[in-house]
Amino acid sequence: MRKQKSNKLRIIHLLLLAALLLLTAKLIYAQVRGGDSMGRIEWTSMQLYRNGSNYDYSYNYALRLDAKSGQMLYDCSFKAPANLNDEIWRCELESVPVTREELAPLDALIQGLPLAPPKEPEPVDDDLLVCDETMEIFDVCIANYKDRSVKKLTAPLSGEQRAEMQKQFLQLYLKAKDRAPLRN
């Protein structure tokens, strides 16, 4: 009878130890990836950028966490779409605070991406001359303010994903433009 209790306690002990090891492994994986224990990434800045010789097709969308205020700030510059009923040619915002609720659709897109550290660029061929180089950048950064480290991540974006992000950034612009400080 006493031996059966001892075996049952040993089995319970081993099961608890296994559960603890699994939980520890999950927490370590989340910290390496930059997220919480559920694998969610808590990003502190993001940039979607395209630059080329044609200004009409260039854009820059950026979000960054202001360390002092704790607010997420939105910067953007892009050609105004034809369906935007403003009398402007170029949409621009600088350091406009946005709420977590307004960021939820973009955050959902980011959480679904296979983010990884960027690959090293390939060496440049000195004999190759590029007259019109279009650059496209998508970065998500995770900052740790305790040790002042920043981990930059990226993901390859399909045309559909890039278009969806641009759509979400336009929606964010429409929500935030009335809060922007007036420019002289």
Side-chain angles (χ1 to χ4, degrees), residues 101-167:
E101 292 78 25
E102 292 171 331
L103 291 174
L106 269 171
D107 185 54
L109 284 172
I110 291 171
Q111 299 302 327
L113 293 173
L115 295 171
K119 295 179 179 150
E120 290 293 321
E122 294 182 18
V124 178
D125 185 359
D126 292 334
D127 296 333
L128 182 65
L129 177 65
V130 178
C131 297
D132 177 23
E133 182 179 11
T134 299
M135 283 184 38
E136 290 188 345
I137 297 172
F138 170 67
D139 287 327
V140 173
C141 291
I142 300 166
N144 183 340
Y145 292 108
K146 291 178 185 172
D147 65 1
R148 296 182 183 199
S149 65
V150 176
K151 186 185 331 179
K152 188 178 280 192
L153 303 172
T154 190
L157 295 178
S158 68
E160 290 172 351
Q161 289 170 320
R162 187 171 292 276
E164 181 61 26
M165 282 197 143
Q166 285 183 278
K167 178 182 162 190

Side-chain angles (χ1 to χ4, degrees), residues 1-165:
M1 177 100 163
R2 188 172 178 116
K3 196 171 191 173
Q4 286 180 336
K5 274 188 177 180
S6 176
N7 285 341
K8 285 181 183 179
L9 286 174
R10 181 173 284 149
I11 291 171
I12 291 171
H13 177 72
L14 289 174
L15 288 174
L16 287 173
L17 185 60
L20 182 62
L21 286 172
L22 286 172
L23 182 60
T24 303
K26 189 172 184 178
L27 287 172
I28 290 171
Y29 171 74
Q31 288 173 351
V32 166
R33 191 165 179 248
D36 60 16
S37 62
M38 300 307 288
R40 179 177 163 67
I41 295 174
E42 292 298 329
W43 50 277
T44 54
S45 69
M46 179 175 96
Q47 182 178 27
L48 181 65
Y49 171 83
R50 181 179 183 179
N51 187 24
S53 64
N54 189 337
Y55 200 55
D56 288 352
Y57 300 109
S58 297
Y59 52 80
N60 185 22
Y61 305 99
L63 289 161
R64 68 186 186 290
L65 182 66
D66 181 46
K68 290 182 182 178
S69 68
Q71 288 186 305
M72 194 64 80
L73 302 177
Y74 180 41
D75 301 318
C76 66
S77 176
F78 60 97
K79 182 182 179 197
N83 61 353
L84 194 61
N85 293 328
D86 284 350
E87 294 293 323
I88 57 173
W89 177 78
R90 192 107 182 128
C91 299
E92 293 183 345
L93 293 177
E94 189 175 321
S95 298
V96 178
V98 290
T99 65
R100 288 200 182 271
E101 292 78 25
E102 292 171 331
L103 291 174
L106 269 171
D107 185 54
L109 284 172
I110 291 171
Q111 299 302 327
L113 293 173
L115 295 171
K119 295 179 179 150
E120 290 293 321
E122 294 182 18
V124 178
D125 185 359
D126 292 334
D127 296 333
L128 182 65
L129 177 65
V130 178
C131 297
D132 177 23
E133 182 179 11
T134 299
M135 283 184 38
E136 290 188 345
I137 297 172
F138 170 67
D139 287 327
V140 173
C141 291
I142 300 166
N144 183 340
Y145 292 108
K146 291 178 185 172
D147 65 1
R148 296 182 183 199
S149 65
V150 176
K151 186 185 331 179
K152 188 178 280 192
L153 303 172
T154 190
L157 295 178
S158 68
E160 290 172 351
Q161 289 170 320
R162 187 171 292 276
E164 181 61 26
M165 282 197 143

